[in-house]
Amino acid sequence: MLMSRWFAIAAIAVSVACGNSTSYGNPPPPPPPPPPPPPPPPPPPPGTVDLRDNSFNPTPDTISSGGTITFNWTGNNTHNVTFEDGIGGSSNQGHGGTSMRQFATVTSNTSFRYRCTNHSTNFTSGMSGVIVVKP
């Protein structure tokens, strides 16, 4: 009887030890989350407007009084920049072309509308844009 009691105690000890084992029975860890989507391309730096295929980017653009805007031709089509006030602007250019306009000092927010005469019939539709000059 002493031997059977010893076997019973041993059996209990073995079952307790096996019950705490971590080698099996635990679910695998969850997979890592998917990576986030890549960010959109950054806009041109302030004071720069890209002429893409039939669009200006960004528009409107805001600069400080007396600042300069640089227009960069990045698309494949031929474009020009014509300002409503008739100052500055550019002739027709293609990919790689650049043009600059410096704006006068203003005392209140002033908008300067422009367009590509090849792709817009007025300054408020088609390939058109606005530069807002702030004091």
Side-chain angles (χ1 to χ4, degrees):
M1 178 123 145
L2 189 55
M3 186 68 110
S4 65
R5 202 179 260 179
W6 186 85
F7 280 121
I9 291 172
I12 290 171
V14 168
S15 85
V16 167
C18 290
N20 289 336
S21 172
T22 59
S23 64
Y24 69 94
N26 291 332
T48 302
V49 174
D50 286 342
L51 284 82
R52 298 184 177 166
D53 289 328
N54 302 341
S55 69
F56 292 105
N57 182 48
T59 186
D61 197 9
T62 303
I63 63 168
S64 297
S65 185
T68 300
I69 290 286
T70 301
F71 293 90
N72 295 313
W73 278 251
T74 60
N76 295 317
N77 295 334
T78 301
H79 303 289
N80 60 57
V81 177
T82 302
F83 281 91
E84 186 175 36
D85 66 4
I87 299 171
S90 76
S91 59
N92 283 330
Q93 297 187 49
H95 185 83
T98 62
S99 179
M100 295 171 51
R101 176 174 174 185
Q102 183 173 11
F103 292 85
T105 301
V106 296
T107 57
S108 62
N109 286 356
T110 306
S111 296
F112 294 86
R113 296 190 303 185
Y114 60 94
R115 69 185 177 113
C116 170
T117 59
N118 299 334
H119 300 105
S120 178
T121 57
N122 61 56
F123 290 97
T124 59
S125 67
M127 189 174 175
S128 61
V130 176
I131 305 294
V132 178
V133 181
K134 295 187 172 203

